[in-house]
Amino acid sequence: MIYHILIDRFDGGWKTPPKNANGFLGGTINGITGRLDYIQSLGATAIWLSPFLKTESYHGYHITDYEEVEPKFGTWEDLHTLIAEVHNKGMKIIADFVPNHCHESHPFFTDAAACQKSPYRKWFFFKDKGKGYKSFLSYSILPKFNLKYKPAAEYMYGIAEKLIKMGIDGLRVDHALGVPMSFLKELRNRVHNINPEAVVIGEVWQCNITREFFNILYFRNIFYRIYYYIFGIKQESLQLSYKNILDSVLDFEFRNIMLNEIESGRGIEGNRILEKKLEKHFARYSKSGLVPMLFLDNHDTDRILFKCGQDKNLLEQALQTMKNCGKPYIIYYGTEKFMANKTTIMNAEPYADLRVREAMVWE
């Protein structure tokens, strides 16, 4: 069981959770180290950390420096201590890795944007003789890296290798759909060369991916691209297309199956339709070599208790079913304390995701 933590929202020494806001609330790496006994008591054998490199935003995905830890979270020394303590307890640690894009204030991008002769110009996708550039899902503050350009790719490989050499046991690749498969395959090779037991996990999610975004996405080959463009991206097919590329993928299709049964009113316990759906789903992975990593919610989705209509018994059934599947599975921080949003975050409202990123309740 992997316990998923947003560093800033987990433990900043508070007794009463700070008021939620689109900013840093004070959670730290040392706060996590101090809660490892609690995390292990839940049955966790690993933790997954949100990005901890220097960042513009509390969640860590807007990186401004890949070579420094965000000071609000702590230091490299703090991270080394956390890794050592995790390993002393016989657990593993997975780090969120963000190679697709950086924040617009990153010095590589500011230099490239200011000068067409910048050595970093080809690290990004600038339009010819113009100031426009490709970005993450049209968010202009998040310019997209050109990972088919060798210097940019080598830089990102180097960051990943540094983390693995430090003792990180796995990387969760953010927005892997936006990263070339050739890059992912080489990333996996380099990670395994350092630690054959380390894992590279991809977030490949088709949610909100429309035709307008196809110019910033990568697929297994041209036939996949054409098929998805014409017929739409199917989550199951998308996940399976990463066999022999990644070790594992976050299993969004498993979540879809579970939520469909919950929303249908058929429930979880004793649901033969659900059992057959899951059997068919997992059979597709049996010979692929690709490990599906199960989860019911995360920092980008409604919390599972909300999807269960605040029914704690139904939540417990869903969790037990996930555990019984015999696959690696992820628990999002606060689920064990029945944290839940009251209204959906999937309605495109600005900062709606804050509803599932509240400070952890400790008292």
Side-chain angles (χ1 to χ4, degrees):
M1 188 263 266
I2 301 160
Y3 192 71
H4 177 194
I5 300 169
L6 284 187
I7 298 171
D8 181 67
R9 304 304 162 110
F10 191 64
D11 192 330
W14 53 72
K15 293 184 178 179
T16 301
K19 184 178 180 181
N20 205 5
N22 185 39
F24 291 90
L25 298 187
T28 65
I29 292 169
N30 286 339
I32 298 170
T33 304
R35 296 289 184 177
L36 289 180
D37 286 340
Y38 166 79
I39 294 170
Q40 193 166 44
S41 76
L42 301 174
T45 57
I47 62 173
W48 159 19
L49 299 181
S50 58
F52 45 72
L53 300 177
K54 195 171 183 182
T55 178
E56 182 70 19
S57 300
Y58 72 90
H59 47 66
Y61 292 95
H62 296 182
I63 295 176
T64 60
D65 190 337
Y66 282 83
E67 298 176 54
E68 296 294 335
V69 171
E70 169 52 48
K72 293 182 177 66
F73 298 156
T75 65
W76 283 117
E77 184 178 357
D78 295 333
L79 185 63
H80 279 288
T81 298
L82 174 60
I83 293 170
E85 289 300 311
V86 166
H87 289 164
N88 286 341
K89 291 183 178 297
M91 302 168 68
K92 303 289 187 181
I93 183 167
I94 297 168
D96 225 313
F97 182 52
V98 190
N100 177 72
H101 57 266
C102 64
H103 188 262
E104 63 181 353
S105 65
H106 192 291
F108 293 176
F109 180 74
T110 58
D111 187 79
C115 178
Q116 291 191 16
K117 295 183 179 180
S118 165
Y120 298 109
R121 187 76 177 181
K122 292 183 180 179
W123 285 47
F124 303 92
F125 293 95
F126 287 96
K127 295 179 181 179
D128 291 343
K129 299 181 181 180
K131 294 183 179 180
Y133 50 87
K134 290 184 180 180
S135 58
F136 169 68
L137 302 185
S138 297
Y139 291 103
S140 61
I141 64 169
L142 301 176
K144 181 179 176 65
F145 282 112
N146 178 10
L147 295 176
K148 287 194 172 182
Y149 182 57
K150 188 174 180 179
E154 287 295 332
Y155 179 80
M156 284 299 172
Y157 292 143
I159 300 301
E161 289 169 331
K162 176 181 177 179
L163 296 176
I164 299 300
K165 289 175 181 177
M166 284 177 58
I168 295 293
D169 300 291
L171 301 175
R172 176 266 192 189
V173 181
D174 180 64
H175 188 56
L177 188 54
V179 178
M181 285 195 171
S182 57
F183 175 89
L184 292 173
K185 191 169 186 177
E186 178 64 13
L187 173 67
R188 181 189 182 211
N189 289 339
R190 295 196 185 202
V191 165
H192 287 182
N193 284 341
I194 298 169
N195 179 3
E197 295 184 357
V199 294
V200 179
I201 308 155
E203 181 209 27
V204 286
W205 190 19
Q206 54 77 238
C207 182
N208 296 326
I209 298 297
T210 59
R211 289 181 178 180
E212 68 177 296
F213 295 130
F214 268 57
N215 70 326
I216 61 167
L217 305 179
Y218 295 91
F219 302 100
R220 194 170 186 95
N221 53 48
I222 188 63
F223 301 107
Y224 276 84
R225 177 177 288 276
I226 294 172
Y227 181 87
Y228 288 146
Y229 188 82
I230 296 174
F231 299 105
I233 301 175
K234 306 299 182 183
Q235 183 63 46
E236 183 80 277
S237 171
L238 184 65
Q239 292 177 191
L240 285 165
S241 71
Y242 283 80
K243 65 180 181 181
N244 302 321
I245 303 294
L246 297 169
D247 297 309
S248 178
V249 289
L250 295 178
D251 198 347
F252 285 91
E253 184 63 17
F254 167 80
R255 180 175 184 268
N256 291 341
I257 292 170
M258 295 289 287
L259 293 187
N260 285 340
E261 292 306 299
I262 290 171
E263 292 169 356
S264 73
R266 287 187 288 266
I268 300 296
E269 198 168 76
N271 185 337
R272 281 294 297 152
I273 294 176
L274 173 60
E275 291 174 10
K276 290 180 179 179
K277 284 183 177 180
L278 291 178
E279 287 174 6
K280 184 177 180 181
H281 171 63
F282 292 132
R284 295 187 175 113
Y285 292 84
S286 60
K287 296 181 181 179
S288 71
L290 189 67
V291 177
M293 193 162 287
L294 315 187
F295 71 101
L296 293 169
D297 57 6
N298 63 28
H299 60 296
D300 290 325
T301 72
D302 288 316
R303 281 190 177 269
I304 184 59
L305 185 54
F306 170 80
K307 302 301 288 186
C308 289
Q310 311 298 334
D311 184 336
K312 296 178 181 178
N313 184 53
L314 187 56
L315 166 64
E316 295 287 3
Q317 291 178 30
L319 290 173
Q320 191 58 51
T321 296
M322 181 168 67
K323 295 175 184 179
N324 291 344
C325 288
K327 310 291 183 183
Y329 65 93
I330 302 164
I331 300 293
Y332 186 42
Y333 83 95
T335 295
E336 75 280 7
K337 291 180 175 290
F338 301 115
M339 290 175 65
N341 47 309
K342 295 180 180 178
T343 55
T344 184
I345 73 167
M346 307 302 287
N347 55 10
E349 289 182 20
Y351 308 119
D353 49 19
L354 287 173
R355 298 168 191 161
V356 299
R357 301 177 181 183
E358 295 182 306
M360 180 68 163
V361 177
W362 287 113
E363 294 297 327

